[in-house]
PDB file of all heavy atoms in Angstrom:
ATOM      1  N   ILE A 168      63.638  62.660 -28.105  1.00  0.00           N
ATOM      2  CA  ILE A 168      63.694  63.688 -26.911  1.00  0.00           C
ATOM      3  C   ILE A 168      62.207  64.195 -26.850  1.00  0.00           C
ATOM      4  O   ILE A 168      61.708  64.300 -25.649  1.00  0.00           O
ATOM      5  CB  ILE A 168      64.602  64.806 -27.347  1.00  0.00           C
ATOM      6  CG1 ILE A 168      66.085  64.271 -27.327  1.00  0.00           C
ATOM      7  CG2 ILE A 168      64.419  66.008 -26.367  1.00  0.00           C
ATOM      8  CD1 ILE A 168      67.106  65.228 -27.874  1.00  0.00           C
ATOM      9  N   PHE A 169      61.551  64.592 -27.823  1.00  0.00           N
ATOM     10  CA  PHE A 169      60.254  65.133 -27.716  1.00  0.00           C
ATOM     11  C   PHE A 169      59.223  64.114 -27.138  1.00  0.00           C
ATOM     12  O   PHE A 169      58.388  64.417 -26.296  1.00  0.00           O
ATOM     13  CB  PHE A 169      59.732  65.605 -29.056  1.00  0.00           C
ATOM     14  CG  PHE A 169      60.301  66.896 -29.421  1.00  0.00           C
ATOM     15  CD1 PHE A 169      60.711  67.245 -30.768  1.00  0.00           C
ATOM     16  CD2 PHE A 169      60.371  68.020 -28.538  1.00  0.00           C
ATOM     17  CE1 PHE A 169      61.269  68.402 -31.097  1.00  0.00           C
ATOM     18  CE2 PHE A 169      60.938  69.212 -28.916  1.00  0.00           C
ATOM     19  CZ  PHE A 169      61.416  69.410 -30.259  1.00  0.00           C
ATOM     20  N   ARG A 170      59.493  62.814 -27.513  1.00  0.00           N
ATOM     21  CA  ARG A 170      58.463  61.772 -27.027  1.00  0.00           C
ATOM     22  C   ARG A 170      58.706  61.586 -25.546  1.00  0.00           C
ATOM     23  O   ARG A 170      57.773  61.527 -24.766  1.00  0.00           O
ATOM     24  CB  ARG A 170      58.819  60.448 -27.714  1.00  0.00           C
ATOM     25  CG  ARG A 170      57.895  59.325 -27.291  1.00  0.00           C
ATOM     26  CD  ARG A 170      58.089  58.060 -28.111  1.00  0.00           C
ATOM     27  NE  ARG A 170      59.465  57.602 -28.066  1.00  0.00           N
ATOM     28  CZ  ARG A 170      59.941  56.871 -27.074  1.00  0.00           C
ATOM     29  NH1 ARG A 170      59.240  56.525 -26.074  1.00  0.00           N
ATOM     30  NH2 ARG A 170      61.210  56.421 -27.079  1.00  0.00           N
ATOM     31  N   LEU A 171      59.944  61.543 -25.102  1.00  0.00           N
ATOM     32  CA  LEU A 171      60.268  61.260 -23.684  1.00  0.00           C
ATOM     33  C   LEU A 171      59.805  62.538 -22.895  1.00  0.00           C
ATOM     34  O   LEU A 171      59.235  62.333 -21.744  1.00  0.00           O
ATOM     35  CB  LEU A 171      61.759  61.045 -23.443  1.00  0.00           C
ATOM     36  CG  LEU A 171      62.256  59.645 -24.016  1.00  0.00           C
ATOM     37  CD1 LEU A 171      63.755  59.615 -24.003  1.00  0.00           C
ATOM     38  CD2 LEU A 171      61.629  58.530 -23.231  1.00  0.00           C
ATOM     39  N   ASN A 172      60.065  63.664 -23.366  1.00  0.00           N
ATOM     40  CA  ASN A 172      59.650  64.947 -22.593  1.00  0.00           C
ATOM     41  C   ASN A 172      58.127  64.968 -22.587  1.00  0.00           C
ATOM     42  O   ASN A 172      57.534  65.231 -21.480  1.00  0.00           O
ATOM     43  CB  ASN A 172      60.068  66.125 -23.343  1.00  0.00           C
ATOM     44  CG  ASN A 172      61.620  66.451 -23.153  1.00  0.00           C
ATOM     45  OD1 ASN A 172      62.330  65.576 -22.713  1.00  0.00           O
ATOM     46  ND2 ASN A 172      62.118  67.553 -23.702  1.00  0.00           N
ATOM     47  N   ALA A 173      57.428  64.614 -23.635  1.00  0.00           N
ATOM     48  CA  ALA A 173      55.978  64.700 -23.706  1.00  0.00           C
ATOM     49  C   ALA A 173      55.399  63.671 -22.658  1.00  0.00           C
ATOM     50  O   ALA A 173      54.445  63.917 -21.958  1.00  0.00           O
ATOM     51  CB  ALA A 173      55.472  64.391 -25.086  1.00  0.00           C
ATOM     52  N   ARG A 174      56.051  62.528 -22.612  1.00  0.00           N
ATOM     53  CA  ARG A 174      55.510  61.411 -21.641  1.00  0.00           C
ATOM     54  C   ARG A 174      55.671  61.967 -20.180  1.00  0.00           C
ATOM     55  O   ARG A 174      54.768  61.722 -19.381  1.00  0.00           O
ATOM     56  CB  ARG A 174      56.359  60.144 -21.816  1.00  0.00           C
ATOM     57  CG  ARG A 174      55.740  58.922 -21.312  1.00  0.00           C
ATOM     58  CD  ARG A 174      56.565  57.733 -21.470  1.00  0.00           C
ATOM     59  NE  ARG A 174      57.788  57.908 -20.807  1.00  0.00           N
ATOM     60  CZ  ARG A 174      58.750  56.817 -20.771  1.00  0.00           C
ATOM     61  NH1 ARG A 174      58.509  55.746 -21.280  1.00  0.00           N
ATOM     62  NH2 ARG A 174      59.918  57.118 -20.107  1.00  0.00           N
ATOM     63  N   ASP A 175      56.697  62.688 -19.861  1.00  0.00           N
ATOM     64  CA  ASP A 175      56.825  63.246 -18.537  1.00  0.00           C
ATOM     65  C   ASP A 175      55.753  64.326 -18.297  1.00  0.00           C
ATOM     66  O   ASP A 175      55.113  64.368 -17.254  1.00  0.00           O
ATOM     67  CB  ASP A 175      58.213  63.968 -18.344  1.00  0.00           C
ATOM     68  CG  ASP A 175      59.357  62.928 -18.213  1.00  0.00           C
ATOM     69  OD1 ASP A 175      59.021  61.727 -17.969  1.00  0.00           O
ATOM     70  OD2 ASP A 175      60.477  63.330 -18.277  1.00  0.00           O
ATOM     71  N   GLU A 176      55.586  65.120 -19.311  1.00  0.00           N
ATOM     72  CA  GLU A 176      54.570  66.287 -19.196  1.00  0.00           C
ATOM     73  C   GLU A 176      53.226  65.748 -18.869  1.00  0.00           C
ATOM     74  O   GLU A 176      52.469  66.303 -18.068  1.00  0.00           O
ATOM     75  CB  GLU A 176      54.572  67.175 -20.410  1.00  0.00           C
ATOM     76  CG  GLU A 176      55.926  67.788 -20.813  1.00  0.00           C
ATOM     77  CD  GLU A 176      56.465  68.807 -19.850  1.00  0.00           C
ATOM     78  OE1 GLU A 176      55.817  69.210 -18.904  1.00  0.00           O
ATOM     79  OE2 GLU A 176      57.667  69.215 -20.047  1.00  0.00           O
ATOM     80  N   ILE A 177      52.791  64.766 -19.640  1.00  0.00           N
ATOM     81  CA  ILE A 177      51.446  64.238 -19.396  1.00  0.00           C
ATOM     82  C   ILE A 177      51.298  63.639 -18.029  1.00  0.00           C
ATOM     83  O   ILE A 177      50.154  63.716 -17.373  1.00  0.00           O
ATOM     84  CB  ILE A 177      50.954  63.304 -20.579  1.00  0.00           C
ATOM     85  CG1 ILE A 177      49.423  63.171 -20.545  1.00  0.00           C
ATOM     86  CG2 ILE A 177      51.580  61.929 -20.520  1.00  0.00           C
ATOM     87  CD1 ILE A 177      48.639  64.391 -20.729  1.00  0.00           C
ATOM     88  N   ALA A 178      52.315  62.996 -17.513  1.00  0.00           N
ATOM     89  CA  ALA A 178      52.362  62.389 -16.166  1.00  0.00           C
ATOM     90  C   ALA A 178      52.189  63.538 -15.137  1.00  0.00           C
ATOM     91  O   ALA A 178      51.432  63.432 -14.162  1.00  0.00           O
ATOM     92  CB  ALA A 178      53.551  61.578 -15.948  1.00  0.00           C
ATOM     93  N   HIS A 179      52.890  64.615 -15.394  1.00  0.00           N
ATOM     94  CA  HIS A 179      52.735  65.785 -14.448  1.00  0.00           C
ATOM     95  C   HIS A 179      51.308  66.356 -14.502  1.00  0.00           C
ATOM     96  O   HIS A 179      50.700  66.619 -13.486  1.00  0.00           O
ATOM     97  CB  HIS A 179      53.706  66.929 -14.868  1.00  0.00           C
ATOM     98  CG  HIS A 179      55.182  66.464 -14.835  1.00  0.00           C
ATOM     99  ND1 HIS A 179      56.203  67.202 -15.469  1.00  0.00           N
ATOM    100  CD2 HIS A 179      55.745  65.406 -14.198  1.00  0.00           C
ATOM    101  CE1 HIS A 179      57.325  66.544 -15.242  1.00  0.00           C
ATOM    102  NE2 HIS A 179      57.107  65.536 -14.520  1.00  0.00           N
ATOM    103  N   ALA A 180      50.754  66.453 -15.736  1.00  0.00           N
ATOM    104  CA  ALA A 180      49.394  66.993 -15.877  1.00  0.00           C
ATOM    105  C   ALA A 180      48.389  66.094 -15.100  1.00  0.00           C
ATOM    106  O   ALA A 180      47.549  66.608 -14.449  1.00  0.00           O
ATOM    107  CB  ALA A 180      49.023  67.061 -17.347  1.00  0.00           C
ATOM    108  N   ARG A 181      48.652  64.831 -15.199  1.00  0.00           N
ATOM    109  CA  ARG A 181      47.718  63.836 -14.517  1.00  0.00           C
ATOM    110  C   ARG A 181      47.791  64.011 -13.010  1.00  0.00           C
ATOM    111  O   ARG A 181      46.764  63.948 -12.256  1.00  0.00           O
ATOM    112  CB  ARG A 181      48.031  62.434 -14.881  1.00  0.00           C
ATOM    113  CG  ARG A 181      47.603  61.994 -16.312  1.00  0.00           C
ATOM    114  CD  ARG A 181      46.104  61.795 -16.403  1.00  0.00           C
ATOM    115  NE  ARG A 181      45.794  61.611 -17.792  1.00  0.00           N
ATOM    116  CZ  ARG A 181      45.367  62.619 -18.581  1.00  0.00           C
ATOM    117  NH1 ARG A 181      45.290  63.898 -18.110  1.00  0.00           N
ATOM    118  NH2 ARG A 181      45.028  62.422 -19.821  1.00  0.00           N
ATOM    119  N   PHE A 182      48.995  64.229 -12.471  1.00  0.00           N
ATOM    120  CA  PHE A 182      49.181  64.427 -11.043  1.00  0.00           C
ATOM    121  C   PHE A 182      48.340  65.660 -10.609  1.00  0.00           C
ATOM    122  O   PHE A 182      47.547  65.680  -9.690  1.00  0.00           O
ATOM    123  CB  PHE A 182      50.595  64.508 -10.607  1.00  0.00           C
ATOM    124  CG  PHE A 182      50.789  64.904  -9.167  1.00  0.00           C
ATOM    125  CD1 PHE A 182      50.591  63.954  -8.136  1.00  0.00           C
ATOM    126  CD2 PHE A 182      51.057  66.180  -8.792  1.00  0.00           C
ATOM    127  CE1 PHE A 182      50.727  64.386  -6.829  1.00  0.00           C
ATOM    128  CE2 PHE A 182      51.154  66.603  -7.460  1.00  0.00           C
ATOM    129  CZ  PHE A 182      50.975  65.647  -6.474  1.00  0.00           C
ATOM    130  N   TYR A 183      48.555  66.791 -11.324  1.00  0.00           N
ATOM    131  CA  TYR A 183      47.876  67.979 -11.073  1.00  0.00           C
ATOM    132  C   TYR A 183      46.331  67.778 -11.071  1.00  0.00           C
ATOM    133  O   TYR A 183      45.609  68.296 -10.174  1.00  0.00           O
ATOM    134  CB  TYR A 183      48.277  69.087 -11.948  1.00  0.00           C
ATOM    135  CG  TYR A 183      49.686  69.679 -11.714  1.00  0.00           C
ATOM    136  CD1 TYR A 183      50.621  69.811 -12.751  1.00  0.00           C
ATOM    137  CD2 TYR A 183      50.033  70.196 -10.479  1.00  0.00           C
ATOM    138  CE1 TYR A 183      51.815  70.308 -12.567  1.00  0.00           C
ATOM    139  CE2 TYR A 183      51.299  70.707 -10.253  1.00  0.00           C
ATOM    140  CZ  TYR A 183      52.186  70.770 -11.300  1.00  0.00           C
ATOM    141  OH  TYR A 183      53.452  71.304 -11.108  1.00  0.00           O
ATOM    142  N   GLU A 184      45.910  67.150 -12.118  1.00  0.00           N
ATOM    143  CA  GLU A 184      44.492  66.875 -12.234  1.00  0.00           C
ATOM    144  C   GLU A 184      43.925  66.096 -11.023  1.00  0.00           C
ATOM    145  O   GLU A 184      42.819  66.403 -10.499  1.00  0.00           O
ATOM    146  CB  GLU A 184      44.187  66.045 -13.488  1.00  0.00           C
ATOM    147  CG  GLU A 184      44.235  66.964 -14.772  1.00  0.00           C
ATOM    148  CD  GLU A 184      44.157  66.135 -16.045  1.00  0.00           C
ATOM    149  OE1 GLU A 184      44.343  64.889 -16.013  1.00  0.00           O
ATOM    150  OE2 GLU A 184      43.901  66.753 -17.065  1.00  0.00           O
ATOM    151  N   ASP A 185      44.687  65.127 -10.620  1.00  0.00           N
ATOM    152  CA  ASP A 185      44.221  64.244  -9.454  1.00  0.00           C
ATOM    153  C   ASP A 185      44.152  65.165  -8.208  1.00  0.00           C
ATOM    154  O   ASP A 185      43.299  64.957  -7.400  1.00  0.00           O
ATOM    155  CB  ASP A 185      45.074  63.029  -9.295  1.00  0.00           C
ATOM    156  CG  ASP A 185      44.868  62.067 -10.448  1.00  0.00           C
ATOM    157  OD1 ASP A 185      43.783  62.027 -11.032  1.00  0.00           O
ATOM    158  OD2 ASP A 185      45.794  61.290 -10.747  1.00  0.00           O
ATOM    159  N   VAL A 186      45.089  66.022  -8.048  1.00  0.00           N
ATOM    160  CA  VAL A 186      45.099  66.960  -6.874  1.00  0.00           C
ATOM    161  C   VAL A 186      43.906  67.879  -6.966  1.00  0.00           C
ATOM    162  O   VAL A 186      43.219  68.095  -5.990  1.00  0.00           O
ATOM    163  CB  VAL A 186      46.452  67.731  -6.724  1.00  0.00           C
ATOM    164  CG1 VAL A 186      46.332  68.711  -5.655  1.00  0.00           C
ATOM    165  CG2 VAL A 186      47.550  66.750  -6.457  1.00  0.00           C
ATOM    166  N   ILE A 187      43.661  68.378  -8.180  1.00  0.00           N
ATOM    167  CA  ILE A 187      42.492  69.304  -8.393  1.00  0.00           C
ATOM    168  C   ILE A 187      41.179  68.640  -8.045  1.00  0.00           C
ATOM    169  O   ILE A 187      40.315  69.191  -7.367  1.00  0.00           O
ATOM    170  CB  ILE A 187      42.447  69.946  -9.725  1.00  0.00           C
ATOM    171  CG1 ILE A 187      43.721  70.741 -10.029  1.00  0.00           C
ATOM    172  CG2 ILE A 187      41.265  70.761  -9.978  1.00  0.00           C
ATOM    173  CD1 ILE A 187      43.961  71.206 -11.467  1.00  0.00           C
ATOM    174  N   LYS A 188      41.133  67.287  -8.376  1.00  0.00           N
ATOM    175  CA  LYS A 188      39.856  66.491  -7.989  1.00  0.00           C
ATOM    176  C   LYS A 188      39.702  66.531  -6.511  1.00  0.00           C
ATOM    177  O   LYS A 188      38.525  66.671  -6.045  1.00  0.00           O
ATOM    178  CB  LYS A 188      40.010  65.098  -8.532  1.00  0.00           C
ATOM    179  CG  LYS A 188      39.626  64.933 -10.019  1.00  0.00           C
ATOM    180  CD  LYS A 188      39.652  63.425 -10.371  1.00  0.00           C
ATOM    181  CE  LYS A 188      39.021  63.205 -11.759  1.00  0.00           C
ATOM    182  NZ  LYS A 188      38.984  61.842 -12.117  1.00  0.00           N
TER     183      LYS A 188
END
Side-chain angles (χ1 to χ4, degrees):
Chain A
I168 292 170
F169 283 136
R170 180 175 59 81
L171 292 169
N172 287 5
R174 200 179 61 173
D175 286 348
E176 303 292 352
I177 195 64
H179 301 160
R181 286 285 170 268
F182 173 79
Y183 285 127
E184 283 172 344
D185 289 334
V186 173
I187 297 168
K188 276 186 169 181

